[in-house]
Amino acid sequence: MPARASKKTDAKVRRIAAGTRRSGRPRAATAASRIYSDLRAELVSLQRRPGEAVSEAQIALSYGVSRTPVREAILKLSDEGLLEIYPQSGIFVSRIPVAALPEAIIIRKALEETTARLAAERATSSQILALQSILERQREASAAGDSDTFHQADEMFHAAVADVAGYPGIWKYIQQVKVHVDRYRRLTLPQRGRIAKVIVEHEAVLTAIEAHDSEGARRAMEIHLENLLENISATQHINPEYFDERP
């Protein structure tokens, strides 16, 4: 191969390599994934309030990227119902769809009753210790008044139960179903006595798992998640501006 052609080939390879990480994913795709993940966390945690405008240009500037990966992330979040795009008006954080909450909670409840039952049948001593450790983290977060850490530990507890059951993929599916439920749940945590009640309910689930009481674990999880259904109206009444329907 002529030297000039070889240099051109080398230069092309370097350009391709510069735009690709070791995983083989283009930098633009990686940026879009990071922006999507960060923005989704902000939306689910209610750091970005329903009805708030979202600036594509501002996000691009803060990440030091073009608008292309930002637009990709925004479109994906729009598909999940977390953002609303109005061509003539802009991009806005969606309000929590009240009508969608009961179905999502019922799906989650059915799946988690199963994982709790199976976890009670299959839990090893080390797995029970891991669940105890997560629950202790929730107690510490409660004592510190740290609702963010409490919520993270709450997610870890439910994910761990699915893992102990032998079906971690069930939790991944639940995460897709419960995106609006998570936003709603964030509004329940500041309510008087709610965090303490969640801890008591988790303790009941764990006690049944420790005793290898499969029906007891299933029932404890059922009671725990039924409370989400019962609290929708009260939470909507307290925070009407977060929801797409008024009480």
Side-chain angles (χ1 to χ4, degrees):
M1 180 183 293
R4 182 174 296 179
S6 178
K7 287 180 181 178
K8 285 183 179 179
T9 302
D10 289 346
K12 185 177 180 180
V13 169
R14 284 196 297 272
R15 283 198 301 272
I16 294 171
T20 307
R21 296 198 175 210
R22 290 178 183 175
S23 63
R25 300 179 64 198
R27 285 186 184 275
T30 303
S33 297
R34 183 161 56 92
I35 293 166
Y36 163 79
S37 179
D38 291 349
L39 190 53
R40 190 180 192 276
E42 291 172 7
L43 294 167
V44 172
S45 67
L46 299 179
Q47 290 179 49
R48 292 180 181 264
R49 295 163 61 95
E52 180 182 322
V54 174
S55 170
E56 194 177 275
Q58 191 174 61
I59 294 171
L61 182 63
S62 67
Y63 280 88
V65 298
S66 70
R67 290 196 182 191
T68 300
V70 178
R71 191 170 297 119
E72 183 181 329
I74 284 172
L75 287 172
K76 190 173 180 180
L77 291 164
S78 175
D79 288 342
E80 291 184 38
L82 288 168
L83 292 176
E84 294 178 335
I85 302 172
Y86 299 97
Q88 304 304 320
S89 305
I91 304 162
F92 299 89
V93 179
S94 68
R95 287 182 166 78
I96 300 169
V98 176
L101 294 178
E103 183 177 37
I105 293 169
I106 288 168
I107 291 170
R108 178 183 179 181
K109 188 162 72 72
L111 291 171
E112 290 214 65
E113 284 179 41
T114 299
T115 57
R117 176 175 58 80
L118 292 172
E121 293 174 2
R122 301 174 179 181
T124 64
S125 297
S126 60
Q127 288 173 327
I128 289 171
L129 285 172
L131 286 168
Q132 290 172 342
S133 176
I134 295 169
L135 190 51
E136 184 57 31
R137 183 178 300 189
Q138 283 196 284
R139 294 190 189 100
E140 291 171 356
S142 174
D146 186 345
S147 60
D148 285 339
T149 299
F150 181 88
H151 178 77
Q152 291 166 11
D154 186 286
E155 293 283 286
M156 289 173 62
F157 182 84
H158 287 271
V161 169
D163 193 52
V164 173
Y167 293 99
I170 288 179
W171 179 248
K172 291 180 181 178
Y173 175 73
I174 290 170
Q175 285 181 304
Q176 297 173 21
V177 172
K178 72 185 183 74
V179 60
H180 293 300
V181 177
D182 282 343
R183 300 169 77 203
Y184 150 60
R185 282 173 59 223
R186 286 283 186 155
L187 294 172
T188 69
L189 294 182
Q191 295 174 18
R192 186 186 295 268
R194 178 58 189 162
I195 285 180
K197 195 168 189 290
V198 169
I199 291 173
V200 169
E201 290 164 359
H202 280 186
E203 286 172 341
V205 172
L206 181 52
T207 297
I209 291 174
E210 288 174 331
H212 299 287
D213 176 1
S214 57
E215 177 55 25
R218 185 206 66 76
R219 178 59 181 155
M221 186 65 81
E222 178 186 23
I223 291 169
H224 173 48
L225 296 176
E226 271 181 353
N227 284 324
L228 286 174
L229 279 170
E230 295 169 1
N231 287 335
I232 292 174
S233 181
T235 304
Q236 183 187 4
H237 182 76
I238 295 168
N239 308 277
E241 71 278 11
Y242 283 85
F243 294 87
D244 68 354
E245 295 176 11
R246 295 295 184 262

